[in-house]
Amino acid sequence: MNLYAVRAIYHFEMARAWRTLMQSIVSPVLSTSLYFVVFGAAIGTRITEIDGVGYGAFIVPGLIMLSLLTQSISNASFGIYFPRFTGTIYELLSAPVSPPEIVLGYVGAAATKSVILGLIILATAGLFVPLRIEHPVWMLAFLVLTAFTFSLLGFIIGIWADGFEKLQVIPLLVITPLTFLGGTFYSVNMLPPFWQAISMFNPVVYLVSGFRWSFYEIADVDVALSVAATLGFLLLCLASVWWIFRTGYRLKA
Amino acid sequence: MTPVIAVSNLSKTYATGFQALKRINLEIRRGEIFALLGPNGAGKTTLISIVCGIVNPSEGEVLVDGRDIAAHYRTVRSMIGLVPQELTTDAFESVWATTSFSRGLFGRPPNAAHIEKILRALSLWEKKDDRVMTLSGGMKRRLLIAKALSHEPQILFLDEPTAGVDVELRKDMWNIVRALRDSGVTIILTTHYIEEAEEMADRVGVIAKGELLLVEGKEALMRKLGRKQLTLQLRERLAEVPAALAKYRLELNAEGSAVVYTYDTQAERTGITALLDDMGAAGIGFIDLHTDQSSLEDIFVDLVRTTR
């Protein structure tokens, strides 16, 4: 295994995050803090508790998940798209690096940034609302697994995109709506039965529900189902990446 | 000696149907400077890109140091450095960071002393902490060479290394390339500056429309295909070449003041002595003479023209 290459890609990507600290860390933390102010402090005062958890605390896992999903996709898609855009991808393609090493470098760095961001948001949330984490190991497992899976999705988008606007299409038009409708700000059980049934087709419901369970032991769906759904999506992304490298899709002529 | 690169029956047809390479066979010798000449769109970059693993071949085989480039991609690619034609660099990174990145990417452990040596050799040391975006075009070109050399390759591909580079820097580049060859690196450069090939190459390949037209040692090529012409300024103008001199196929200029004799440089006898004797016998005197030899450029243009 070319560990030097994995390390080089990983460090290169992490260096980009520190260089663009405002957009990588500060901006998502600020916007999440605003959610706490608006939904937690302003609207939350009118909603007392959901399943025995104060509203402000209830939305914390969903808000972390919202940032985790969008930032994982954004980091990984930009990471691989930018060298394609500038032409420096030639170096990656001509290097003695295998596809798993490339993925490990890019996706690993994107996932690391997202996990760090998630933990910062968690710490920030602690300043606004009282938090408890019933299953810290599961919480970290969901955090890492989701960050890695959606960074893989971002990597795929970065390969697929042939313009900067396409990098934004999936996060803006698919992920954000699914997250808002995935129980970030409410329990799916609060919906009428029809919409509850519809929500079960939203994969984000399983992510938010599992993640929230690790905090408060309350969940919209069985936690085993949440783990299975996350792992299933991870396998789907891995299969897509394998296909991309096998065919050279949008990488090699 | 085993060739360091052996290309056999290599073809490439792009998805658009454009056939960029047509059954190319080529061997590159260890330690030589090989110039691949060809007009734009001839297939030079495609050939390089296949050897480096950037483009997949449609058919054929490429061996580097006796190893198949696909089956042994790790070993093969770690031996190769590539300087692309376009100035594709990481704009926001520092010179030091991007050069170190390249070394790591090619599987080499960090070696600050080696990076420093390269940057100094390429006159980039003073700029090591500067962002790439602040460098001039010439410096970016040198940076690409530094990146390609960062992992100590045995083979270096230079794709149009002096395109858009001023005369002074071009000469600097030539010196760098010669120094690399002297250190044992095999160099394959593509160029459409004939002067560059003439100046540096040990052997020359001419490619046009995806076909390799010839591969020859530079000196041999110029001997083989080069023509030499003797121009004689006449003492008195002629209306036409006398019949007694017809066998020499002389060309009389429009003013009738000079004749040009074209002869084969490889022939046992050039025929010059006989021509001068016959001219004297015909009463044609001359006041001056000079010879011209066709350049590599003339040979190249002739070759490419015949394929059109």
Side-chain angles (χ1 to χ4, degrees):
Chain A
M1 190 170 188
N2 187 350
L3 282 176
Y4 289 116
V6 176
R7 197 172 79 163
I9 297 169
Y10 185 87
H11 279 252
F12 185 89
E13 284 300 297
M14 292 305 287
R16 190 164 58 79
W18 302 131
R19 209 172 45 230
T20 56
L21 203 63
M22 283 298 284
Q23 69 191 65
S24 298
I25 305 287
V26 179
S27 168
V29 168
L30 183 67
S31 57
T32 309
S33 300
L34 289 175
Y35 279 121
F36 281 123
V37 172
V38 174
F39 288 95
I43 299 172
T45 52
R46 294 168 187 270
I47 305 171
T48 51
E49 284 187 342
I50 299 175
D51 294 333
V53 179
Y55 185 69
F58 179 85
I59 64 171
V60 170
L63 283 179
I64 293 174
M65 205 48 92
L66 175 65
S67 289
L68 201 66
L69 301 188
T70 51
Q71 289 301 311
S72 296
I73 291 173
S74 166
N75 285 330
S77 61
F78 191 82
I80 190 66
Y81 178 73
F82 198 62
R84 286 181 60 224
F85 175 74
T86 58
T88 54
I89 192 82
Y90 84 87
E91 202 173 19
L92 191 66
L93 296 176
S94 63
V97 195
S98 67
E101 289 157 0
I102 294 173
V103 170
L104 205 56
Y106 279 104
V107 173
T112 304
K113 284 184 260 183
S114 299
V115 168
I116 291 171
L117 181 68
L119 294 174
I120 291 174
I121 292 173
L122 182 63
T124 311
L127 302 175
F128 291 91
V129 290
L131 282 176
R132 69 173 200 273
I133 303 171
E134 297 287 347
H135 303 285
V137 175
W138 275 109
M139 188 277 286
L140 271 177
F142 269 114
L143 200 67
V144 171
L145 198 60
T146 308
F148 192 80
T149 303
F150 279 78
S151 294
L152 269 176
L153 177 62
F155 187 84
I156 294 164
I157 292 168
I159 299 277
W160 163 76
D162 53 12
F164 277 102
E165 69 282 3
K166 276 196 178 174
L167 291 182
Q168 300 298 324
V169 166
I170 304 288
L172 282 179
L173 298 184
V174 180
I175 301 301
T176 304
L178 284 180
T179 313
F180 272 83
L181 298 171
T184 303
F185 297 106
Y186 56 86
S187 166
V188 172
N189 295 327
M190 294 163 74
L191 297 173
F194 174 76
W195 289 109
Q196 277 189 43
I198 293 290
S199 293
M200 291 302 111
F201 292 99
N202 179 355
V204 179
V205 165
Y206 300 88
L207 300 174
V208 173
S209 171
F211 196 49
R212 186 172 285 135
W213 170 85
S214 70
F215 279 75
Y216 311 120
E217 285 190 319
I218 53 171
D220 292 326
V221 292
D222 190 286
V223 68
L225 207 55
S226 289
V227 174
T230 312
L231 288 174
F233 193 54
L234 172 66
L235 289 176
L236 189 66
C237 290
L238 283 172
S240 304
V241 169
W242 174 80
W243 177 83
I244 284 169
F245 280 106
R246 196 179 67 82
T247 59
Y249 173 73
R250 298 221 166 160
L251 283 175
K252 284 189 179 190
Chain B
M1 187 190 280
T2 320
V4 72
I5 298 175
V7 175
S8 314
N9 296 318
L10 189 69
S11 297
K12 174 65 186 177
T13 305
Y14 286 102
T16 55
F18 173 69
Q19 193 172 10
L21 295 177
K22 299 168 187 169
R23 299 183 72 81
I24 299 285
N25 289 286
L26 173 66
E27 289 189 348
I28 306 292
R29 296 170 189 159
R30 204 174 296 272
E32 72 173 340
I33 297 180
F34 184 87
L36 193 58
L37 288 171
N40 290 333
K44 305 185 294 288
T45 301
T46 299
L47 178 56
I48 284 184
S49 298
I50 289 174
V51 178
C52 292
I54 298 169
V55 170
N56 291 325
S58 301
E59 61 177 298
E61 182 187 58
V62 180
L63 302 179
V64 172
D65 203 25
R67 297 179 179 91
D68 183 83
I69 56 165
H72 301 276
Y73 75 96
R74 278 196 199 276
T75 314
V76 165
R77 291 185 193 176
S78 62
M79 291 173 66
I80 296 175
L82 168 65
V83 180
Q85 185 176 347
E86 303 293 331
L87 291 175
T88 47
T89 51
D90 305 304
F92 303 103
E93 291 292 322
S94 72
V95 167
W96 179 270
T98 192
T99 312
S100 302
F101 168 76
S102 297
R103 183 176 171 85
L105 195 61
F106 279 76
R108 289 300 193 113
N111 184 339
H114 179 69
I115 302 291
E116 180 178 341
K117 189 178 100 181
I118 292 172
L119 293 182
R120 284 191 188 281
L122 291 162
S123 308
L124 287 169
W125 180 247
E126 303 301 320
K127 299 282 181 183
K128 70 180 169 55
D129 298 319
D130 291 9
R131 281 189 175 193
V132 174
M133 67 200 300
T134 65
L135 302 182
S136 67
M139 283 178 181
K140 282 180 185 161
R141 181 74 63 187
R142 276 182 288 180
L143 175 61
L144 287 175
I145 297 179
K147 282 166 72 68
L149 293 175
S150 64
H151 64 282
E152 302 160 64
Q154 296 168 39
I155 302 163
L156 183 66
F157 283 96
L158 295 156
D159 197 0
E160 305 276 0
T162 55
V165 164
D166 64 42
V167 176
E168 195 179 350
L169 183 58
R170 189 178 300 170
K171 299 225 160 128
D172 280 353
M173 291 277 185
W174 291 351
N175 289 333
I176 291 165
V177 170
R178 283 196 198 95
L180 284 169
R181 192 264 308 272
D182 293 344
S183 70
V185 177
T186 303
I187 291 159
I188 299 101
L189 65 92
T190 71
T191 182
H192 53 251
Y193 292 125
I194 315 294
E195 179 195 6
E196 195 157 83
E198 202 164 339
E199 179 77 22
M200 290 201 300
D202 298 311
R203 289 196 308 145
V204 174
V206 177
I207 188 170
K209 292 186 172 175
E211 290 180 79
L212 197 58
L213 303 179
L214 64 85
V215 175
E216 282 279 4
K218 183 182 66 186
E219 306 298 339
L221 178 65
M222 294 185 70
R223 273 202 312 275
K224 191 168 158 186
L225 295 177
R227 289 168 303 155
K228 222 166 177 182
Q229 292 185 316
L230 171 69
T231 304
L232 296 158
Q233 297 291 332
L234 303 177
R235 191 178 299 281
E236 289 168 11
R237 291 172 186 249
L238 290 178
E240 59 180 1
V241 177
L245 302 176
K247 65 179 177 182
Y248 297 105
R249 297 181 181 176
L250 298 178
E251 293 169 45
L252 185 66
N253 70 356
E255 296 80 32
S257 60
V259 288
V260 178
Y261 171 57
T262 302
Y263 58 96
D264 183 355
T265 53
Q266 287 197 305
E268 198 174 319
R269 289 171 188 276
T270 59
I272 292 174
T273 312
L275 169 66
L276 295 180
D277 287 347
D278 287 349
M279 282 178 67
I284 302 170
F286 60 93
I287 52 174
D288 198 6
L289 60 86
H290 69 269
T291 59
D292 294 301
Q293 184 162 16
S294 54
S295 66
L296 192 55
E297 180 159 2
D298 299 325
I299 298 167
F300 171 72
V301 169
D302 284 347
L303 273 169
V304 172
R305 189 183 291 140
T306 56
T307 64
R308 285 189 175 145

